[in-house]
Amino acid sequence: GAGVSQSPSNKVTEKGKDVELRCDPISGHTALYWYRQSLGQGLEFLIYFQGNSAPDKSGLPSDRFSAERTGGSVSTLTIQRTQQEDSAVYLCASSLAVGTPLRGEQYFGPGTRLTVT
Amino acid sequence: GDSVTQMEGPVTLSEEAFLTINCTYTATGYPSLFWYVQYPGEGLQLLLKATKADDKGSNKGFEATYRKETTSFHLEKGSVQVSDSAVYFCALDAGGTSYGKLTFGQGTILTVHP
């Protein structure tokens, strides 16, 4: 079946502009995660959604970052007033329910490469 | 807080050589441990996992044993192939209030030459 898809694959934006990154998880996966991969910081957790529970936003680096998940499926990560340090690859992942033996088995999308000029 | 430390890379080996990539972790509670791999041009994918002390995860000839006494989860393969060239990430799920979130190491670039 289809894996996790993300769009766009590449995004170049000017400093100060807002961007939206989209993630389509694997059908039936109730948990969805956003990570950021950058040269200086490695792979960092940003936010995760589990079913209808309130999202865990503990990894968001500033209030310029937000995310939502509509209908328990598609998710959008929004970065407002982008800065050069936001340049990174943004990865989305999904998994079956968190509280199971499959804990930690996440399926990753190809990522969106964001470049802020 | 929770953290994962991997050996510095890059690692360059000849085909059929033995591979070890060291990984140590710091976590409260009883984490699950993972190795993820990112092949060139592909997304991150799970390679193997172990959920409790002394468990051994294995896949595609790779192995790693969960050692609670040394807080380690070193990745090994007896004979690497050119197709194993990739970036390898050690990760943990600490559970508790961190349930579901993966904490990753910095990644180790492996290049295997024919």
Side-chain angles (χ1 to χ4, degrees), chain A residues 4 12 18 23-24 27 35 42-44 47 50 55-56 61 67 69 73-74 76-77 94 100 102-103 105 111:
Chain A
V4 177
V12 180
D18 297 353
C23 172
D24 281 274
S27 177
Y35 295 87
L43 260 163
E44 305 171 274
I47 185 170
Q50 169 59 45
D56 180 339
R69 188 178 185 190
S73 181
V74 171
T76 302
L77 177 70
S94 69
T100 73
L102 298 176
R103 162 188 162 195
E105 293 190 23

Side-chain angles (χ1 to χ4, degrees), chain B residues 8 16 22 35 41-42 44 58 80 85-86 93 96 99:
Chain B
E8 294 281 335
E16 299 183 5
N22 289 340
W35 279 99
E42 297 185 20
L44 204 60
S58 61
V80 294
S85 298
D93 176 343
Y99 217 40

Side-chain angles (χ1 to χ4, degrees), chain B residues 9-91:
Chain B
V11 175
T12 303
L13 296 173
S14 297
E15 209 164 23
E16 299 183 5
F18 183 85
L19 169 70
T20 299
I21 301 178
N22 289 340
C23 171
T24 56
Y25 68 90
T26 301
T28 54
Y30 303 93
S32 290
L33 302 174
F34 306 85
W35 279 99
Y36 276 81
V37 59
Q38 192 169 32
Y39 296 104
E42 297 185 20
L44 204 60
Q45 56 187 274
L46 178 65
L47 179 60
L48 53 86
K49 65 180 277 190
T51 58
K52 60 183 188 297
D54 299 326
D55 268 3
K56 178 186 285 188
S58 61
N59 186 26
K60 299 182 180 181
F62 291 89
E63 293 183 339
T65 301
Y66 188 144
R67 301 287 188 200
K68 193 168 177 64
E69 64 275 15
T70 55
T71 62
S72 65
F73 193 54
H74 305 322
L75 182 68
E76 297 183 336
K77 186 174 185 181
S79 177
V80 294
Q81 305 300 311
V82 172
S83 57
D84 294 326
S85 298
V87 185
Y88 292 81
F89 294 89
C90 186

Side-chain angles (χ1 to χ4, degrees), chain A residues 2-25:
Chain A
V4 177
S5 61
Q6 293 185 244
S7 60
S9 55
N10 281 285
K11 176 73 176 177
V12 180
T13 191
E14 293 180 351
K15 178 181 170 181
K17 296 282 181 67
D18 297 353
V19 295
E20 287 190 348
L21 312 179
R22 176 187 168 103
C23 172
D24 281 274

